């Protein structure tokens, strides 16, 4: 079980984010839950890529570095893309929240449902 | 790897504070702590590209969140959980947790021993194939440039979406709406 | 005091911003141009450049930053980055295929001028990401001002 412990801790982080999305009423809290779940997914991919005693996937001109000693570079590339997309979607969620605040005057989604009628 | 466990514990504590604290500004600051810990974990796990991008994006996200929540007096008012929200949340996350633990047992490599069957190609051929010494840069801009093109499309769509949602409604349009009612 | 000092934050923040914002901008340019040699690249460098403009906007208020980099020019620069990225991809069709690295054998690996079209693609991506992020920031800020004027 010890070899899986980082994955389990990462899963706990993901579950905290999902719990916030499901149970909270404030829109900003829901956005925070989405951000935390997204961080947990990024962390999980990087944890999968780690090789014990490995090096960063960068060559050097002055030093001989074996390609076999490097960590897995493919998840790094995928996560790099995912982080920037996460920022864009977060900004979109914030814009929606600000718009809803301008319309209803509250961040509370239950009160929004009452005010709609 | 004791520092890894300490940092993940710090991130879990920060995220618990972020979702349970009453003041929204404190919650946003706690999210900043979580992102900073994540950046240092990336550095420990030998991913400097991702660490640099993460810390910069974290700063931008916190600035945007603070600008969205600041100067709104009602934002400081506490709203609690949904009715039955806590029970539903605990049930659903427990379900996810158990399923994921069962899946981890069978289908995942051990921590520190990645499956390199496909991605061994990239470090071996990056210098001859592209000339870039940074292997991650060679992957995202040469071998898998289609991914980057799709990412640019998603970013463009998000920017257009933000501009569409946030544009101030024109006067003529409001009159039209009232006429139709 | 001049008119510039009426808006924005205090004089301390303004002085420190004036000293450091150029260095932040230069660091972003460095991250972009060395993206194929060292950690970094178009994504991180673009966001750093956008953060330097956000810094100016937060410290000096909207009018000063609008004079440097207005909302209209962000969309132009973002479109320019996208067009540059697609043009590089389409130019590869002449030599081998979509996204073919047609400049590759020039230059020695590890030098600044190397790796074919990867530095050019880094510049295109940084223009797109930086201008997009700054456009999002400006939109969120201006709507807030609009709301506060309404009240």
């Amino acid at each position: 079980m010890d070899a899986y412990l980082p994955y389990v801790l990462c899963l706990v982080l993901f579950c905290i984010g999902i719990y916030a999305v499901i149970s909270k009423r404030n829109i900003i809290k829901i956005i925070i839950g989405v951000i935390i779940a997204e961080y947990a997914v990024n962390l999980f991919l990087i944890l999968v890529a780690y090789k014990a005693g490995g090096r960063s996937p960068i060559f050097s001109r002055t030093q001989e570095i074996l390609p076999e000693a490097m960590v897995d570079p493919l998840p790094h590339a995928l996560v790099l893309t995912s982080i920037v997309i996460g920022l864009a979607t977060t900004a979109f969620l914030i814009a929606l929240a600000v718009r809803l605040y301008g319309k209803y005057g509250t961040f509370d989604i239950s009160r929004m449902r009452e005010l709609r009628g | 790897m004791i520092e890894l466990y300490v940092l993940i514990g710090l991130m879990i504590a920060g995220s618990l504070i972020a979702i349970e604290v009453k003041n929204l500004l404190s919650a946003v600051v706690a999210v900043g702590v979580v992102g900073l810990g994540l950046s240092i974990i990336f550095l420990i796990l030998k991913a400097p590209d991702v660490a640099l991008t993460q810390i910069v994006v974290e700063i931008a996200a916190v600035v945007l969140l603070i600008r969205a929540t600041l100067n709104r007096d009602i934002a400081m008012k506490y709203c609690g959980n949904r009715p039955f929200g806590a029970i539903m949340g605990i049930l659903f996350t427990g379900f996810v947790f158990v399923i994921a633990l069962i899946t981890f047992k069978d289908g995942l490599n051990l921590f520190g021993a990645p499956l390199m069957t496909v991605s061994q190609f990239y470090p071996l051929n990056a210098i001859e194939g592209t000339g870039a010494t940074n292997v991650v840069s060679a992957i995202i801009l040469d071998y898998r440039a289609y991914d980057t093109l799709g990412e640019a499309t998603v970013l463009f769509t998000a920017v257009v979406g933000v501009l569409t949602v946030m544009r101030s409604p024109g006067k003529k349009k409001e009159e039209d709406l009232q006429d139709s009612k | 005091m001049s008119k510039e000092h009426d808006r924005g934050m205090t004089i301390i923040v303004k002085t420190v911003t004036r000293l450091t914002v150029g260095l932040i901008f230069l660091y972003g340019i460095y991250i972009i141009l060395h993206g194929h040699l060292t950690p970094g690249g178009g994504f991180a460098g673009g966001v750093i450049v956008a953060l330097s403009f956000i810094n100016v906007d937060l410290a000096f208020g909207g009018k000063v930053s609008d004079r440097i980099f207005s909302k209209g020019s962000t969309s132009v620069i973002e479109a320019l980055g996208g067009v540059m990225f697609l043009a590089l991809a389409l130019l590869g069709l002449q030599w081998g295929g979509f996204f073919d690295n047609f400049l590759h054998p020039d230059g020695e690996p590890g030098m600044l001028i190397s790796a074919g079209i990867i530095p050019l693609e880094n510049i295109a991506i940084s223009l797109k990401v930086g201008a997009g992020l700054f456009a999002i920031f400006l939109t969120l800020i201006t709507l807030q001002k609009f709301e506060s004027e309404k009240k």
Side-chain angles (χ1 to χ4, degrees):
Chain A
M1 201 59 213
D2 192 34
Y4 289 110
L5 188 56
Y7 298 146
V8 175
L9 288 174
C10 182
L11 183 61
V12 170
L13 200 63
F14 179 75
C15 285
I16 291 172
I18 293 295
Y19 171 77
V21 172
I22 290 177
S23 70
K24 292 295 167 189
R25 283 201 320 202
N26 196 325
I27 286 188
I28 299 295
K29 285 282 170 79
I30 292 175
I31 293 175
I32 285 172
V34 171
I35 291 175
I36 288 171
E38 185 192 303
Y39 284 174
V41 172
N42 291 343
L43 175 61
F44 179 73
L45 285 173
I46 297 291
L47 281 172
V48 167
Y50 180 69
K51 181 191 274 184
R55 303 189 56 120
S56 315
I58 292 166
F59 289 102
S60 165
R61 289 185 72 220
T62 56
Q63 198 183 353
E64 191 68 29
I65 295 171
L66 288 176
E68 288 81 13
M70 287 179 175
V71 298
D72 193 350
L74 186 55
H76 293 192
L78 300 180
V79 169
L80 203 61
T81 315
S82 142
I83 287 175
V84 178
I85 289 180
L87 178 63
T89 49
T90 305
F92 186 65
L93 286 176
I94 292 171
L96 280 179
V98 170
R99 209 54 172 149
L100 284 172
Y101 183 86
K103 183 157 177 157
Y104 293 110
T106 176
F107 276 135
D108 193 336
I109 54 172
S110 302
R111 290 208 53 217
M112 266 175 214
R113 201 173 294 145
E114 291 161 14
L115 288 170
R116 193 178 56 195
Chain B
M1 296 302 286
I2 187 69
E3 65 270 28
L4 179 68
Y5 301 124
V6 171
L7 280 169
I8 297 183
L10 179 73
M11 281 175 66
I12 290 174
S15 54
L16 279 176
I17 291 171
I19 67 169
E20 289 301 339
V21 79
K22 290 184 180 175
N23 191 336
L24 280 184
L25 199 56
S26 313
V28 174
V29 172
V31 170
V33 170
V34 177
L36 189 61
L38 185 62
S39 168
I40 299 172
I41 286 177
F42 286 160
L43 211 53
I44 290 172
L45 293 176
K46 303 290 191 295
D49 296 86
V50 189
L52 189 58
T53 312
Q54 168 65 36
I55 193 165
V56 169
V57 163
E58 175 61 38
I59 294 168
V62 167
V63 167
L64 284 179
L65 268 175
I66 287 182
R67 290 304 295 201
T69 56
L70 212 64
N71 294 336
R72 295 174 192 280
D73 34 345
I74 200 166
M76 294 300 164
K77 218 173 80 180
Y78 178 67
C79 340
N81 289 347
R82 271 187 219 181
F84 304 113
I87 297 170
M88 291 300 287
I90 287 172
L91 276 179
F92 184 74
T93 49
F95 180 69
V96 168
F97 196 81
V98 171
I99 295 291
L101 276 186
I102 293 169
T103 319
F104 281 0
K105 275 287 183 195
D106 295 334
L108 202 60
N109 56 310
L110 294 176
F111 178 65
L115 298 169
M116 301 277 283
T117 46
V118 175
S119 49
Q120 191 63 58
F121 172 83
Y122 298 117
L124 285 175
N125 294 297
I127 291 271
E128 293 83 18
T130 65
T133 53
N134 186 353
V135 181
V136 176
S137 192
I139 290 173
I140 59 171
L141 292 177
D142 195 306
Y143 291 115
R144 289 181 165 260
Y146 278 107
D147 284 6
T148 312
L149 188 62
E151 185 271 346
T153 315
V154 173
L155 188 68
F156 181 72
T157 313
V159 172
V160 171
V162 170
L163 291 178
T164 312
V165 169
M166 301 294 280
R167 71 157 195 258
S168 48
K171 276 183 184 169
K172 197 180 171 189
K173 231 177 176 181
E174 277 179 0
E175 285 169 7
D176 285 349
L177 280 175
Q178 281 168 0
D179 286 344
S180 64
K181 274 175 191 171
Chain C
M1 278 200 171
S2 67
K3 215 170 187 182
E4 209 171 88
H5 292 283
D6 294 343
R7 294 167 170 274
M9 297 190 182
T10 59
I11 187 82
I12 302 170
V13 178
K14 280 177 182 169
T15 311
V16 173
T17 303
R18 202 175 283 135
L19 289 176
T20 55
V21 75
L23 296 176
I24 296 171
F25 187 76
L26 267 183
Y27 181 62
I29 299 287
Y30 163 76
I31 291 282
I32 293 165
L33 289 183
H34 286 247
H36 56 297
L37 304 175
T38 52
F43 297 111
V47 181
I48 292 173
V49 169
L51 279 177
S52 72
F53 285 108
I54 288 176
N55 194 351
V56 171
D57 192 293
L58 287 178
F60 287 95
K63 281 210 171 143
V64 176
S65 83
D66 195 57
R67 224 164 44 209
I68 304 171
F69 199 39
S70 70
K71 202 174 160 185
S73 52
T74 54
S75 47
V76 171
I77 287 179
E78 198 200 350
L80 200 71
V83 166
M84 189 174 160
F85 194 69
L86 262 183
L88 281 169
L90 287 175
L91 270 178
L93 283 176
Q94 192 76 27
W95 276 269
F98 207 54
F99 281 118
D100 187 62
N101 199 340
F102 54 89
L103 290 173
H104 164 236
D106 303 346
E108 176 191 349
M111 305 297 286
L112 185 58
I113 309 288
S114 67
I117 60 170
I118 288 180
L120 299 175
E121 280 177 333
N122 261 330
I123 293 171
I125 285 291
S126 71
L127 287 180
K128 189 151 181 55
V129 171
L133 180 61
F134 193 58
I136 288 174
F137 177 78
L138 280 184
T139 315
L140 287 173
I141 293 295
T142 44
L143 190 102
Q144 206 163 39
K145 274 177 196 156
F146 170 74
E147 265 187 2
S148 60
E149 276 167 12
K150 211 167 60 179
K151 285 168 190 171

